[in-house]
Amino acid sequence: MHLNSIDKIPSFSGLSLDEQLVSAVKQMGFEQPTPVQQKAIPFALEHKDLLVSAETGSGKTAAFLLPTLHHLLTLPSKQSGTRALVLTPTRELAQQIFKHCQQLTEFTDLTTGLITGGDDFRLQQNMLRRNTQIVIATPGRVLELMEQEIPNLSNLEVLILDEADRMLDMGFSEDVLAIADSCNAQRQTLLFSATLTHFGVIKMADKLLKNHEIVALNTLHDGHRNIEQQIVLADDNDHKQKLLAWLLQNETYDKALIFTNSRIQADALRGPLRGQKLRVGVLHGEMDQKDRNRMMELFREGAVNIMIATDLAARGLDIKGINLVINFDVPRNGINYIHRIGRTGRVDELGLTIALVKHTEWNLMSGIERFLKQKFKHRSIKELEGKYKGPKKLKASGKATGGKKKVEPKKAAAEKVKIRHRDKKNIGKRRVPTVKPDVESTQA
Ligand code: AMP
């Protein structure tokens, strides 16, 4: 009999993973590997370096954890120090990966630790001294510990950079390179990024990866087929607030995530929405870690079903049941837009995302549509019809409501939007890499 005929339906056992890991994924309810898992795991099991682009919510965490755990289980080591290190941009994401890793290692003896800022330094030192095998960390705290010569990365077997594009945007480039420099040079490196169009990511891959394979599953332009994307025009922020409250009261959703561009705006929305008896929480980077954790827990459990968040706080969050994402402010660029809408429509779920767009944001929104090569559906709320209907010329042609008239070349040029990155003030003196939105590289 042809054994391959059985393997045609992708399965976790077909990936030749350790039985303990296969049992864990079964227990987690994963029936078959997602596309990124199917493509990346076999390469990673050959201990090759990898550069992987995958949509948020595609199952990428298990795509890098499973082969790493398999390697640690099947090639036990007598040497001291950390065996696998995952670097990720935010504390929330680190906690999420940590939990995922604990679930995947449930039937094994492998030990996992979490190293993030805002948590007890001494406990982390002790954890590292106990030779915890897998460490999930944010780069800043690892560097602080490195100054005390605590982490022993000289025998590291696998280094994973998760959400590398975001780590670079947040100014972690030098930190990541310094950490990679202190790791065993023979290690395997797996670099995961939402996009390969990021110049900084391409440069980092050049520096850190050896003879690597590329798994480019998504391009930015594939679209998120299970997410309906809408635009509602607004006159000003007051009008937006009314629209927001109406949508939250009239749409059907389990959990909703509202994005603002600043923490001040996030805080400002909480009171009025609570006044409408909505169960609202706020999550932003200026909150202390305990409050952030508490908020996340309330949202996860559903005690709070509406979360107002800034990009930093919401990056990479994987919370079940988010089926509505509202952009109260239009995000500053297409990449942030993708990350925001990626919080909904996770594996096999449907999602709705609505951007509230006022006249000063029209060009930015059009730039995002062009960047993604998509046109979003325009919707108006009858009860709260505003005056703003889009730019005059487009309004006359019906373009603002989905019409088809061509934009004159001059107008199109005027609409050209510069893709900007995070506020320099948030980045400190670190370098801001530029995105080249039209280059989709698959070159090593
Ligand atoms: P990630 O992209 O790693 O953040 O994963 C997004 C969500 O997909 C998480 O809730 C995972 O638990 C879930 N997930 C990962 N792999 C699978 C799979 N093979 N089948 C079903 N769900 C999965």
Side-chain angles (χ1 to χ4, degrees):
M1 187 177 85
H2 243 285
L3 279 177
N4 284 346
S5 59
I6 301 170
D7 288 341
K8 278 191 179 144
I9 300 168
S11 69
F12 281 101
S13 4
L15 290 170
S16 312
L17 289 165
D18 187 283
E19 273 309 311
Q20 300 163 91
L21 300 175
V22 176
S23 304
V25 291
K26 250 190 215 144
Q27 177 162 285
M28 290 166 81
F30 298 179
E31 282 164 14
Q32 61 179 65
T34 64
V36 67
Q37 292 162 0
Q38 285 169 41
K39 293 250 166 79
I41 292 174
F43 283 134
L45 286 174
E46 291 174 34
H47 217 53
K48 286 184 169 160
D49 283 2
L50 280 188
L51 173 60
V52 182
S53 76
E55 234 167 55
T56 48
S58 59
K60 66 188 169 64
T61 314
F64 60 71
L65 283 180
L66 283 170
T68 302
L69 299 173
H70 176 88
H71 170 84
L72 302 188
L73 286 167
T74 50
L75 291 170
S77 163
K78 290 206 172 85
Q79 291 177 308
S80 60
T82 304
R83 297 186 67 193
L85 173 67
V86 181
L87 293 178
T88 191
T90 67
R91 296 166 187 180
E92 280 79 9
L93 201 44
Q95 284 164 357
Q96 211 164 273
I97 298 169
F98 176 69
K99 276 190 195 147
H100 209 118
C101 195
Q102 283 185 318
Q103 289 172 311
L104 290 174
T105 51
E106 183 168 346
F107 302 113
T108 74
D109 293 330
L110 294 172
T111 49
T112 310
L114 181 65
I115 300 275
T116 60
D119 287 335
D120 194 289
F121 197 84
R122 212 167 303 154
L123 286 179
Q124 295 179 354
Q125 281 178 322
N126 293 337
M127 183 266 285
L128 287 169
R129 286 201 182 102
R130 285 196 303 274
N131 286 335
T132 300
Q133 288 150 303
I134 308 140
V135 172
I136 322 287
T138 47
R141 180 53 69 90
V142 176
L143 265 196
E144 278 177 61
L145 286 156
M146 274 169 57
E147 279 160 24
Q148 314 279 320
E149 295 183 13
I150 308 288
N152 173 1
L153 303 174
S154 58
N155 296 316
L156 193 86
E157 291 157 61
V158 189
L159 172 66
I160 296 154
L161 308 178
D162 182 38
E163 306 247 359
D165 52 331
R166 186 60 171 185
M167 282 202 280
L168 297 176
D169 285 348
M170 288 170 69
F172 286 135
S173 171
E174 283 166 26
D175 294 2
V176 170
L177 290 174
I179 295 166
D181 221 33
S182 74
C183 295
N184 168 20
Q186 309 309 319
R187 69 178 188 265
Q188 176 187 33
T189 308
L190 308 177
L191 196 158
F192 278 68
S193 169
T195 171
L196 301 184
T197 60
H198 196 297
F199 185 59
V201 169
I202 296 163
K203 268 179 77 178
M204 180 157 283
D206 278 348
K207 280 195 186 136
L208 298 183
L209 304 181
K210 302 175 294 283
N211 300 323
H212 61 281
E213 298 287 346
I214 295 178
V215 176
L217 278 163
N218 70 315
T219 68
L220 286 175
H221 314 299
D222 277 352
H224 293 67
R225 280 172 212 93
N226 49 345
I227 304 177
E228 157 127 22
Q229 301 178 63
Q230 300 178 349
I231 286 176
V232 174
L233 295 178
D235 294 341
D236 49 31
N237 277 6
D238 275 353
H239 187 206
K240 279 193 182 190
Q241 248 184 55
K242 290 184 188 125
L243 289 165
L244 178 64
W246 187 95
L247 289 165
L248 292 173
Q249 276 160 343
N250 291 281
E251 280 297 329
T252 310
Y253 57 91
D254 295 320
K255 288 178 188 160
L257 195 51
I258 321 297
F259 279 100
T260 63
N261 288 351
S262 72
R263 71 182 169 76
I264 295 170
Q265 183 64 71
D267 282 333
L269 290 178
R270 176 177 28 200
L273 292 179
R274 281 198 179 156
Q276 307 265 346
K277 305 235 173 338
L278 293 164
R279 287 179 286 132
V280 182
V282 173
L283 197 65
H284 58 63
E286 299 279 306
M287 290 163 62
D288 88 32
Q289 194 55 40
K290 266 197 202 128
D291 291 339
R292 275 164 78 164
N293 292 347
R294 212 184 103 256
M295 265 304 149
M296 285 287 299
E297 238 10 81
L298 291 175
F299 194 40
R300 226 180 267 284
E301 289 161 5
V304 152
N305 69 335
I306 298 167
M307 184 66 83
I308 310 167
T310 55
D311 292 292
L312 172 67
R315 174 72 183 196
L317 292 190
D318 173 36
I319 293 193
K320 293 234 161 14
I322 300 179
N323 30 30
L324 175 63
V325 168
I326 299 180
N327 281 305
F328 184 86
D329 294 319
V330 174
R332 296 187 177 101
N333 59 55
I335 290 171
N336 278 359
Y337 180 84
I338 290 168
H339 286 302
R340 288 182 180 188
I341 67 162
R343 303 303 105 221
T344 183
R346 318 273 298 168
V347 180
D348 291 338
E349 289 174 5
L350 293 176
L352 168 65
T353 169
I354 304 168
L356 304 180
V357 180
K358 57 185 178 182
H359 73 284
T360 50
E361 294 170 314
W362 174 275
N363 283 355
L364 189 51
M365 195 71 227
S366 310
I368 291 171
E369 285 180 306
R370 276 202 301 280
F371 176 49
L372 299 175
K373 298 195 168 62
Q374 288 181 47
K375 275 272 155 223
F376 306 145
K377 195 169 153 192
H378 280 252
R379 166 181 174 186
S380 58
I381 310 291
K382 218 170 45 210
E383 293 81 346
L384 288 167
E385 195 79 51
K387 293 189 193 79
Y388 181 56
K389 303 283 182 221
K392 274 187 191 135
K393 274 188 187 160
L394 297 176
K395 194 169 56 179
S397 71
K399 176 113 181 173
T401 47
K404 269 195 172 160
K405 192 183 167 220
K406 265 194 199 158
V407 185
E408 294 159 27
K410 252 190 185 171
K411 177 81 191 169
E415 274 181 15
K416 196 160 188 180
V417 177
K418 210 173 154 196
I419 307 269
R420 273 181 285 144
H421 285 275
R422 287 171 46 73
D423 286 347
K424 282 192 178 158
K425 68 177 179 335
N426 291 336
I427 294 173
K429 52 184 183 330
R430 289 161 168 154
R431 205 175 58 77
V432 192
T434 20
V435 169
K436 293 186 175 169
D438 291 320
V439 186
E440 185 72 30
S441 168
T442 51
Q443 300 297 307

